[in-house]
Amino acid sequence: MGFNPYEIRKDFPVLERKINGKRLVYLDNAATSQKPKQVIEAIREYYEKYNANVHRGLHTLSQEASEAYEKAHEVIAKFINAYSWEEVIFTSNSTDSLNIIAYSWGLKNLKKGDEIIITVMEHHSNMLPWRIVARLTGAKVKYIDITDDGLLRYDQLEEVVSEKTKVIAVTLMSNVLGTINDVKRIAKLAHSVGAIIVVDGAQGVPHLPVNVKELEIDFLAFSGHKMLGPTGTGVLWGRKDLLEEMEPIKVGGGTIKDVTLESVEWHDLPWRFEPGTPNIAGGIGLAVAAEYLMRLGMENVREHEKELTAYTLKRLEELGDDIEYYGPRDPEQKGGVIAFNIKGLHHHIVGKSLDMFGIAVRTGMHCAHPLHYRLGIKGTVRASYYIYNVKEDVDALIDALKTIVKLKDVLSSTEVSDVCTGT
């Protein structure tokens, strides 16, 4: 499969929709991606032809389901170049994965006086679990700032890291600024003091080539629904030696080899971390999504988004002083995420106005409140790209924004509560 976004679009039925009489321009991919018909068909086929529980039956349907579900782990292992499929744990999303890491590894390994380093650009999911674990263990959380153009303060990070550092939690790519962090550099720094690095890959993995061996990281979390897969799917990857030392925090069916009234023997990896009946259809669909992306080539996905980002930044200049944009200006340093505000208009008003043009964007603080407070703002409009977006989508966005700017005086009188109360 070559990379032609116009051909790719044919695999996504939702893009044929009309919204408010306009063709759908879907620019909310950082929240969730659309699903190709191949993924939809794989899920339908499971439910129609071999729906059964996994690892719990000798009958044909159960054996077929188990084989497909286990193969899905192998596909994801290949997608991120894991050492073994046993290191790939299926979860419900990135948030679930990061919580498992924080509680299962953190509660066992952290103690009073230890330090956890987090960046100010983290999604709440890679911040709040560590804050709770710190409170429970007596560890201390330290934060790393960003530069005014949205890049991580590596100089500050190098100053803060010490022998007390036990964890560095960092996003691969900011879900607001689009900033791509050098996690390999951070991993080397962490390991130099005996610390581990936990990477939130929710935004990065769907858009960048990711090789956990080359990055030399210890844990990686990402979501299926942001990379063409079903909602309710996620991945926790960890180094096998670390995972084997961890006890599951959610236990029950499927997590054990044997239980007596006095003891428990945990199951092999990855099953000890996948309690109860898993999202079987979701795991199968996620594997199909990963295979779809591998056929396209993740290097091609990255190059396509760089082109769209560069084109957007160039066209945004046409709005002059009416727009304020946040994050790196260099497409080499950022992913396909554009966060901005129209001066004089609330971000929710802008987002709802764009919907009238058939353009779907996200507005609010994007589960990154501390980052917005660092920027001195209470929300942004966020446009985010993926494999099926084309330059015509960018043109539609810019043209709509120009119209919104012309109507600023009228729109500014709209009550925000009439539009949206979410954050």
Side-chain angles (χ1 to χ4, degrees), residues 3 22 78 144 212 239 243 248 277:
F3 195 96
K22 309 284 187 179
K78 180 180 179 182
I144 304 302
V212 295
R239 280 176 27 212
L243 292 173
T277 297

mmCIF file of all heavy atoms in Angstrom, residues 3 22 78 144 212 239 243 248 277:
data_model
loop_
_atom_site.group_PDB
_atom_site.id
_atom_site.type_symbol
_atom_site.label_atom_id
_atom_site.label_comp_id
_atom_site.label_asym_id
_atom_site.label_seq_id
_atom_site.Cartn_x
_atom_site.Cartn_y
_atom_site.Cartn_z
ATOM 1 N N PHE A 3 1.464 5.486 0.048
ATOM 2 C CA PHE A 3 0.835 6.511 0.881
ATOM 3 C C PHE A 3 0.229 7.591 -0.005
ATOM 4 O O PHE A 3 0.918 8.478 -0.500
ATOM 5 C CB PHE A 3 1.833 7.130 1.864
ATOM 6 C CG PHE A 3 1.149 7.900 2.948
ATOM 7 C CD1 PHE A 3 0.901 7.313 4.167
ATOM 8 C CD2 PHE A 3 0.717 9.200 2.745
ATOM 9 C CE1 PHE A 3 0.242 8.001 5.167
ATOM 10 C CE2 PHE A 3 0.054 9.904 3.723
ATOM 11 C CZ PHE A 3 -0.183 9.301 4.949
ATOM 12 N N LYS A 22 -22.096 20.826 4.995
ATOM 13 C CA LYS A 22 -20.711 20.875 4.509
ATOM 14 C C LYS A 22 -20.072 19.497 4.626
ATOM 15 O O LYS A 22 -20.488 18.678 5.443
ATOM 16 C CB LYS A 22 -19.894 21.866 5.344
ATOM 17 C CG LYS A 22 -20.516 23.247 5.513
ATOM 18 C CD LYS A 22 -20.365 24.069 4.257
ATOM 19 C CE LYS A 22 -20.837 25.508 4.507
ATOM 20 N NZ LYS A 22 -20.686 26.350 3.300
ATOM 21 N N LYS A 78 5.414 -6.272 17.224
ATOM 22 C CA LYS A 78 6.125 -5.930 15.989
ATOM 23 C C LYS A 78 6.006 -4.443 15.689
ATOM 24 O O LYS A 78 6.974 -3.799 15.242
ATOM 25 C CB LYS A 78 5.562 -6.750 14.823
ATOM 26 C CG LYS A 78 6.237 -6.476 13.496
ATOM 27 C CD LYS A 78 5.620 -7.324 12.381
ATOM 28 C CE LYS A 78 6.274 -7.035 11.034
ATOM 29 N NZ LYS A 78 5.639 -7.824 9.936
ATOM 30 N N ILE A 144 9.450 19.767 35.493
ATOM 31 C CA ILE A 144 10.353 20.390 34.531
ATOM 32 C C ILE A 144 9.545 21.324 33.642
ATOM 33 O O ILE A 144 8.500 20.946 33.107
ATOM 34 C CB ILE A 144 11.075 19.331 33.672
ATOM 35 C CG1 ILE A 144 11.817 18.352 34.580
ATOM 36 C CG2 ILE A 144 12.036 20.005 32.692
ATOM 37 C CD1 ILE A 144 12.836 18.977 35.492
ATOM 38 N N VAL A 212 10.991 0.658 20.642
ATOM 39 C CA VAL A 212 11.318 0.709 22.074
ATOM 40 C C VAL A 212 12.758 0.275 22.344
ATOM 41 O O VAL A 212 13.357 0.708 23.334
ATOM 42 C CB VAL A 212 10.325 -0.131 22.901
ATOM 43 C CG1 VAL A 212 8.935 0.456 22.819
ATOM 44 C CG2 VAL A 212 10.336 -1.599 22.480
ATOM 45 N N ARG A 239 9.673 -3.373 29.956
ATOM 46 C CA ARG A 239 10.774 -4.325 29.920
ATOM 47 C C ARG A 239 10.393 -5.566 30.722
ATOM 48 O O ARG A 239 9.866 -5.472 31.828
ATOM 49 C CB ARG A 239 12.040 -3.704 30.517
ATOM 50 C CG ARG A 239 12.787 -2.799 29.570
ATOM 51 C CD ARG A 239 13.980 -2.121 30.239
ATOM 52 N NE ARG A 239 14.525 -2.896 31.355
ATOM 53 C CZ ARG A 239 15.085 -2.325 32.431
ATOM 54 N NH1 ARG A 239 15.120 -1.009 32.548
ATOM 55 N NH2 ARG A 239 15.575 -3.087 33.407
ATOM 56 N N LEU A 243 8.523 -6.032 34.441
ATOM 57 C CA LEU A 243 7.172 -6.578 34.554
ATOM 58 C C LEU A 243 7.132 -7.823 35.428
ATOM 59 O O LEU A 243 6.187 -8.031 36.195
ATOM 60 C CB LEU A 243 6.619 -6.903 33.160
ATOM 61 C CG LEU A 243 6.332 -5.717 32.237
ATOM 62 C CD1 LEU A 243 5.963 -6.213 30.845
ATOM 63 C CD2 LEU A 243 5.221 -4.840 32.799
ATOM 64 N N PRO A 248 0.282 -7.674 39.976
ATOM 65 C CA PRO A 248 -0.874 -6.971 39.402
ATOM 66 C C PRO A 248 -1.666 -6.250 40.492
ATOM 67 O O PRO A 248 -1.725 -6.705 41.634
ATOM 68 C CB PRO A 248 -1.690 -8.098 38.768
ATOM 69 C CG PRO A 248 -1.265 -9.344 39.504
ATOM 70 C CD PRO A 248 0.161 -9.142 39.869
ATOM 71 N N THR A 277 -12.475 -11.253 31.640
ATOM 72 C CA THR A 277 -12.657 -11.379 30.189
ATOM 73 C C THR A 277 -12.185 -10.103 29.520
ATOM 74 O O THR A 277 -12.689 -9.021 29.810
ATOM 75 C CB THR A 277 -14.133 -11.626 29.849
ATOM 76 O OG1 THR A 277 -14.542 -12.867 30.425
ATOM 77 C CG2 THR A 277 -14.332 -11.668 28.340
#
